[in-house]
Amino acid sequence: MTLQDLANISQIAQAILVIISLGFIWYQLREGVRLAKSENARSLAEQAEAFNALIIQNPDLAELWYSYGKTLEKGGEINRLRYREMLVQNLIFHEYIYYQWKNKLLDDEIYRSWSSYLEHIVKRHNLDVISSGVQNIFPGDFGRYISQIRAKP
């Protein structure tokens, strides 16, 4: 075997190693994305849990939230403002989830359950309490998405 033959074998081996290395890099990137999405979903669940814990621990807030904004006239202006803020904050949270999903940071399977809950909120809660209008607070795609949900029978 000549020196030229060894050089050719060396170049072939290097090319094979480069391809194998690229495969490992691609695998590590894919796993990193998968782990980031998983952590992202866990973090969202944790934040939702904190909101629910706050409501559950306070009977007045629980009554206000689960009245779906239909008995606000009984509680006066303070309750209307409290309900409005809880509703807007909840929608801001869902806006964050919506844009993460649109940017492929959440899997479709995970987003479906969040989307279902958002539909529940939009259909049951009194969005009319947002006096400036949903489209003014959420002027982008998310505001249009909420309007589409509201328009569904």
Side-chain angles (χ1 to χ4, degrees):
M1 197 172 274
T2 67
L3 190 57
Q4 184 63 37
D5 292 338
L6 289 174
N8 289 339
I9 291 171
S10 172
Q11 285 179 336
I12 292 170
Q14 285 176 352
I16 291 170
L17 288 175
V18 166
I19 291 170
I20 290 171
S21 294
L22 288 174
F24 279 127
I25 290 169
W26 175 80
Y27 174 77
Q28 288 177 331
L29 284 173
R30 196 181 83 203
E31 284 300 299
V33 167
R34 189 183 65 75
L35 289 172
K37 284 182 176 183
S38 175
E39 177 58 26
N40 192 22
R42 187 199 60 76
S43 174
L44 291 172
E46 215 172 69
Q47 291 174 38
E49 184 179 309
F51 179 80
N52 289 333
L54 176 70
I55 291 172
I56 290 168
Q57 291 172 2
N58 186 323
D60 293 336
L61 286 180
E63 182 179 338
L64 186 60
W65 182 251
Y66 291 111
S67 72
Y68 301 107
K70 297 189 179 28
T71 60
L72 293 176
E73 62 280 345
K74 287 195 298 186
E77 184 66 12
I78 294 296
N79 272 354
R80 190 186 72 72
L81 291 172
R82 288 169 78 192
Y83 177 77
R84 180 189 183 280
E85 285 307 309
M86 286 192 306
L87 183 59
V88 168
Q89 289 304 313
N90 198 283
L91 290 174
I92 288 170
F93 176 66
H94 279 277
E95 178 184 34
Y96 177 67
I97 294 167
Y98 175 79
Y99 284 114
Q100 284 195 15
W101 170 71
K102 281 197 71 149
N103 290 314
K104 307 270 188 248
L105 298 173
L106 277 178
D107 289 328
D108 290 343
E109 290 177 19
I110 299 293
Y111 183 69
R112 266 192 297 264
S113 61
W114 289 108
S115 178
S116 175
Y117 184 58
L118 175 62
E119 286 186 30
H120 168 81
I121 290 169
V122 170
K123 291 290 188 181
R124 290 201 172 190
H125 282 271
N126 182 2
L127 269 63
D128 294 332
V129 75
I130 303 172
S131 55
S132 60
V134 171
Q135 288 279 222
N136 289 332
I137 292 180
F138 305 102
D141 289 344
F142 184 70
R144 284 188 291 280
Y145 183 57
I146 289 175
S147 295
Q148 288 172 355
I149 293 170
R150 288 184 86 182
K152 287 182 190 175

